[in-house]
Amino acid sequence: MRTTGTASSSTAGFAARLNCWLDDVIGTRNADAHLAARIRAQQLRSVLRFAPLTLTANLFNALLIVVVFWDSEPPWVLLLWLAALTVAMRSTLRAWRRDQASPPVRASERAIRRAALHAGVLALLWSVPSLLFFTRAEADSALLVTLISGGMMCAGSFVLANIPRAAVLYVLLLCASSSLAFVIDHPVRNLDLVVLMNFYAALALACAIASARTFGARLLAEAEAERQKQLVGLLLHDFEAHSSDWLWDTDRNGFLQHVSARLAETFGRSLDELRAQPFIELFAQGGREMNEAERDALSTLAAHLMQPVPFRDVQVALVVEGERRWWALTAKPLFDEGGHHAGWRGVCSDITDSRRAALEMSTLANFDSLTGLANRHHFRNQLAAIRPAGSEEARPCALYFFDLDDFKNVNDSLGHAAGDRVLQLVSQRLQERIRAGDVLSRLGGDEFALICWGCRTPEGAAELAQRLLDTFASPVLIDGVSVQIGSSIGIALAPQHGSDPDALLKNADMALYAAKAAGRNTWRFFEQDMDERARRRLSMHSDLLGALERDEFELHYQPQIHMRSGRVAGFEALIRWRHPQRGMVSPGEFIPLAEETGLIVPIGRWALERACLAAARWPDDMHVAVNVSAVQFARGAVVDVVRDALAHSGLAPDRLEIEVTESLLIHDSAAARDTLSTLRALGIGIALDDFGTGYSSLAYLRSFPMTKLKIDRSFVTSLNEEEGGGAIVRAIINLADALRLDTTAEGVETAAEWAALAGKECTYAQGYLMSRPLPEPQIAAFIDGWRGLDAVQAEESRPLRAVG
């Protein structure tokens, strides 16, 4: 009992494993339930499609068996077998009719088992002729049975191949029954038939398995393709429903074929209306309102549609619901089976927002946000067009560089908001005075540039320069305050002054520098010697960088004489630069350069320290006067430098006098007042140099802690030459006397000038009449040899000495 049970269990296990393997062959075992059901339906349909042929073959072979063996076998056996076979065939016929009437989409595992069972029944029915009627003694009947059994086995394996378990069961049962019949008849004599029958059975099974594997792979591939198609369809539907993009395709004549509902909704037209219109005409609406760029874009799209070549991101404008929009089209050509162009399929994206954003970014990148003028980047790009690609000649143009004179005062006095408003108003005025096509740019701050294309002559350039200056003739009204703005302009002409952007920029900048030096509110053309001066200036700057370390600076001292007593009251320290190649360089050459570059700070510190050390060796009643630049006040921590110089030299603070100019008081009045007050509190004297040559000196005298006014040499020279010269000097001296300030007259060169100043009660005098500036080693000899007023009177009989 246990042995029988074990055998049954082993057989069931083998059958289960065989079924699993056969399901793997067809691909249903690892497929999901839905896909497996669809595959099983396809298996059944592939078998049922052969039903008419199999019915015909079965009936024909069955009738042949009945006819051949009617005389040799009992008729009732033949009729009973034929009836059973007919019943089986009738079941197949009903299944085929159901399939034709309503093809199954899905089939259960049970349906496959029924099909396999049906195949097994057919195999058993066709085993009957072999088992009952085969005998090799009768050659004709044996041959007929063998051929029919083999043919039915091979044909059945072919028909049932797509249901592997049915094919295997059918072939194995038919092969086993035939082999058994051969063995029963005569095992030795029929050995060849047994071998052949099993060989053919194995071959039929191998072919059936291979066919089933191919069939299953195809079904899986089709299922995956269908799944992908559904997924793509879902994505496309979602794409068209929720994105701003549209799918489109056209026929060979350019008419839309696929029209999405969203596209129709966008245009406010029906699907039929859109299909009745060529695709290109959708973008031609509102053609009269198109600008040149939009018409060029439409022409580009039309050109692409004329050639069957893929294109991507072709931008084109169109009108949608009265609004101008921009779309980007991407497409590939379609071809028919003959390889002829059959239309287009593509996608279009609404890029209006991104295009507007890009335009805004381009505006921010190329135009000044405050004035709306071109910025430096855009200006350089425009100027690069001075020499077109492939051309050796520069386009004629005039390049103007200009800035606003004293614009810093506006920001300092009225605030940066007012300064910005001034820039805006000035920009508007400038734009009204230039031609269309010229490029006006704000380079930064209060700096502007203008490219005037086609300007060939200096006369034409000068005329425009005057128009630009006229822009600044009338004041600008800011918050009720009238602000007078001036400008200096530098002009370079192409190709006369340069044939490439860099050369032209450099030359216009040098011309602007010359205009400022000429007194401002004017213009200057570039001249060739400006370049040479710029080179000299650059060379001087290079030499100036190391002059202090190379000990090339010297201090010379010019005596300051008390006019009433004739005594030496002190000396003014004057810096000199002894250049190894150039010789003695005038302070008028290198001091402005040192101030511009900031080198005046270390140079000024050195001069102050050296002057204090020298003065400490003079008699105690003599002072030393040192010029301090406005740049030193701004950058050099003047109070600390002065304290250090006094401490290092031991000089009493009341023996040091600091000379400043009006520019310090004007540009940074609050900070200058604090610094000067601190110096004055230390006991240091404060002298205002070149008094009377500035603009607002009288306003500052009351608020700054001055101790002395220095009368400029230009007023001293005019004492005896101009009718009003003496009156000006007397007014300065009276003003100083009223404010309890001393006065020092500069540049006294004649006894007559001395006498005139003495008569007006000037406090001190210095100049060539008494002595030229002296090197430090000669100071002691000068002091010892000075004869007071007698020395001045002795000079009256001598020839006038040249200023040097």
Side-chain angles (χ1 to χ4, degrees), residues 513-755:
Y513 187 81
K516 287 180 174 295
R520 303 191 177 191
N521 204 33
T522 186
W523 77 82
R524 286 292 183 271
F525 284 98
F526 169 76
E527 298 175 359
Q528 292 300 327
D529 62 344
M530 291 180 182
D531 188 39
E532 182 60 32
R533 289 199 300 268
R535 293 177 185 274
R536 288 200 305 270
R537 185 171 178 273
L538 181 61
S539 176
M540 182 178 292
H541 177 235
S542 178
D543 293 340
L544 195 60
L545 287 172
L548 194 61
E549 288 75 9
R550 294 190 296 269
D551 198 25
E552 294 176 1
F553 292 111
E554 301 175 4
L555 286 184
H556 289 198
Y557 300 86
Q558 188 169 35
Q560 294 179 335
I561 307 300
H562 191 272
M563 297 195 70
R564 180 172 295 179
S565 66
R567 68 178 178 84
V568 179
F571 295 84
E572 180 182 3
L574 302 170
I575 192 167
R576 298 290 186 266
W577 181 15
R578 192 177 298 278
H579 193 279
Q581 286 78 39
R582 297 191 179 98
M584 196 67 75
V585 181
S586 168
E589 289 188 64
F590 73 86
I591 290 297
L593 180 59
E595 288 181 328
E596 289 179 21
T597 59
L599 292 174
I600 193 65
V601 174
I603 293 174
R605 183 187 300 112
W606 173 86
L608 186 62
E609 292 174 352
R610 182 63 63 90
C612 290
L613 286 171
R617 294 190 286 269
W618 303 341
D620 292 342
D621 61 343
M622 294 184 184
H623 68 265
V624 63
V626 182
N627 290 277
V628 178
S629 166
V631 178
Q632 290 175 260
F633 274 84
R635 308 184 191 179
V638 171
V639 173
D640 293 337
V641 172
V642 170
R643 282 175 173 159
D644 291 344
L646 293 174
H648 182 62
S649 63
L651 184 70
D654 60 355
R655 295 182 59 196
L656 175 62
E657 186 177 272
I658 297 296
E659 294 189 3
V660 298
T661 61
E662 279 184 84
S663 61
L664 167 67
L665 312 183
I666 294 173
H667 292 305
D668 198 2
S669 59
R673 184 184 299 109
D674 293 342
T675 302
L676 294 177
S677 297
T678 302
L679 293 175
R680 189 72 192 94
L682 294 175
I684 296 167
I686 308 295
L688 182 58
D689 199 9
D690 300 332
F691 178 78
T693 61
Y695 301 99
S696 306
S697 299
L698 296 178
Y700 290 105
L701 290 180
R702 297 179 59 186
S703 58
F704 284 89
M706 300 299 171
T707 59
K708 182 185 291 185
L709 298 182
K710 297 194 73 176
I711 304 172
D712 187 70
R713 180 178 179 275
S714 62
F715 298 126
V716 174
T717 303
S718 67
L719 276 171
N720 300 310
E721 296 177 358
E722 298 179 7
E723 182 176 349
I728 293 176
V729 172
R730 175 172 292 281
I732 295 174
I733 294 174
N734 289 341
L735 176 64
D737 185 57
L739 296 174
R740 297 182 181 180
L741 302 177
D742 292 332
T743 53
T744 297
E746 297 181 295
V748 179
E749 297 186 353
T750 67
E753 292 171 353
W754 174 279

Side-chain angles (χ1 to χ4, degrees), residues 278-458:
F279 184 57
I280 191 69
E281 291 186 6
L282 293 176
F283 304 96
Q285 299 175 8
R288 295 180 180 178
E289 302 175 2
M290 286 186 176
N291 56 38
E292 184 177 355
E294 292 169 347
R295 284 192 291 270
D296 290 343
L298 184 59
S299 298
T300 300
L301 175 62
H304 278 292
L305 293 176
M306 293 295 292
Q307 300 178 352
V309 179
F311 59 84
R312 183 176 185 82
D313 293 332
V314 174
Q315 299 184 9
V316 63
L318 72 162
V319 177
V320 178
E321 297 179 350
E323 180 185 5
R324 181 70 66 185
R325 310 288 294 180
W326 280 87
W327 286 2
L329 280 76
T330 298
K332 65 177 182 178
L334 302 176
F335 299 95
D336 57 21
E337 295 179 357
H340 301 101
H341 184 217
W344 293 91
R345 177 174 295 145
V347 61
C348 54
S349 305
D350 191 325
I351 59 169
T352 306
D353 292 339
S354 61
R355 187 179 176 89
R356 288 172 180 169
L359 181 61
E360 183 177 352
M361 291 297 294
S362 176
T363 300
L364 293 175
N366 292 287
F367 293 91
D368 176 50
S369 59
L370 178 64
T371 63
L373 302 180
N375 61 15
R376 182 183 295 270
H377 170 73
H378 187 54
F379 171 77
R380 288 300 300 262
N381 289 340
Q382 293 295 312
L383 187 60
I386 190 174
R387 181 177 290 177
S391 175
E392 296 182 358
E393 296 184 0
R395 295 172 58 188
C397 73
L399 176 61
Y400 298 78
F401 265 20
F402 51 99
D403 59 11
L404 308 184
D405 296 336
D406 296 323
F407 180 71
K408 185 175 185 298
N409 290 339
V410 177
N411 281 333
D412 292 344
S413 58
L414 300 179
H416 288 280
D420 289 345
R421 185 59 183 154
V422 168
L423 292 174
Q424 291 173 334
L425 293 175
V426 167
S427 298
Q428 292 173 7
R429 291 183 181 182
L430 290 171
Q431 286 180 302
E432 294 172 356
R433 284 168 169 77
I434 63 174
R435 304 174 309 174
D438 292 345
V439 181
L440 180 62
S441 169
R442 180 188 175 211
L443 303 182
D446 64 332
E447 298 178 346
F448 295 84
L450 171 65
I451 306 172
C452 181
W453 295 112
C455 186
R456 301 173 182 269
T457 63

